């Protein structure tokens, strides 16, 4: 950021426990990743109703809501800028229930895993 001369406008916040609160202050989630699997941050962004512009290399299973717009990582930056500008005036809604129904609810999935493990252990005895 310093080399690019943007260090006064870019903040590196480190590890945080208040990601949902930070996302409420955002207008857009941008993920121009070249190598990405299933990013948890994208799930969090969608759950908070945050429009997201992501690269086309991110696994399609991450598109849980209609808040996700994809752009080729090889596209000209002007196309990325166009997609970003088209996201303005989005009405934020809590979509966490949609995310949970898609299988991305940590509490629910943890309980299912514990139940599965318990059944497996009991069947061995």
């Amino acid at each position: 950021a310093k080399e690019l001369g943007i260090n006064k406008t870019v903040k590196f916040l480190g590890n945080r426990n208040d990601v949902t609160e930070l996302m409420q202050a955002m207008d857009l989630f941008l993920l121009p990743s070249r190598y990405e699997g299933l990013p948890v941050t994208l799930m969090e962004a969608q759950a908070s109703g945050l429009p997201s512009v992501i690269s086309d290399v991110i696994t399609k299973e991450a598109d849980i809501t209609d808040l996700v717009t994809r752009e080729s990582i090889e596209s000209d930056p002007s196309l990325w800028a166009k997609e970003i500008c088209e996201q303005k005036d989005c009405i934020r809604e809590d979509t966490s229930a949609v995310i949970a129904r898609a299988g991305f609810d940590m509490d629910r999935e943890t309980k299912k895993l514990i139940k599965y493990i318990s059944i497996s252990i009991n069947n061995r005895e």
Side-chain angles (χ1 to χ4, degrees):
K2 188 174 184 178
E3 287 177 19
L4 294 173
I6 58 174
N7 57 314
K8 292 184 180 180
T9 57
V10 173
K11 305 286 184 201
F12 294 98
L13 303 178
N15 291 331
R16 303 291 295 239
N17 293 324
D18 59 347
V19 173
T20 55
E21 288 83 8
L22 291 172
M23 287 194 174
Q24 292 304 315
M26 296 178 190
D27 296 319
L28 179 90
F29 182 74
L30 182 64
L31 189 57
S33 180
R34 290 191 178 276
Y35 310 101
E36 196 75 45
L38 183 68
V40 173
T41 53
L42 180 57
M43 299 300 124
E44 293 171 327
Q46 290 178 87
S48 70
L50 191 58
S52 303
V53 178
I54 67 172
S55 66
D56 59 343
V57 300
I58 296 169
T59 182
K60 294 196 182 337
E61 288 81 7
D63 297 13
I64 306 300
T65 68
D66 60 357
L67 295 168
V68 177
T69 303
R70 290 176 169 270
E71 185 59 54
S72 172
I73 194 65
E74 302 300 327
S75 291
D76 187 272
S78 65
L79 292 175
W80 279 83
K82 182 180 179 230
E83 288 293 344
I84 291 166
C85 290
E86 288 178 1
Q87 301 301 318
K88 63 181 177 183
D89 301 327
C90 175
I91 298 172
R92 300 280 294 270
E93 294 180 17
D94 179 358
T95 58
S96 58
V98 174
I99 303 299
R101 282 194 302 274
F104 295 98
D105 179 292
M106 188 168 304
D107 291 334
R108 183 184 303 165
E109 297 306 312
T110 300
K111 288 175 185 171
K112 285 170 51 177
L113 181 59
I114 290 170
K115 183 177 178 180
Y116 175 79
I117 291 170
S118 296
I119 290 170
S120 296
I121 290 171
N122 289 334
N123 287 339
R124 288 183 179 170
E125 295 175 347

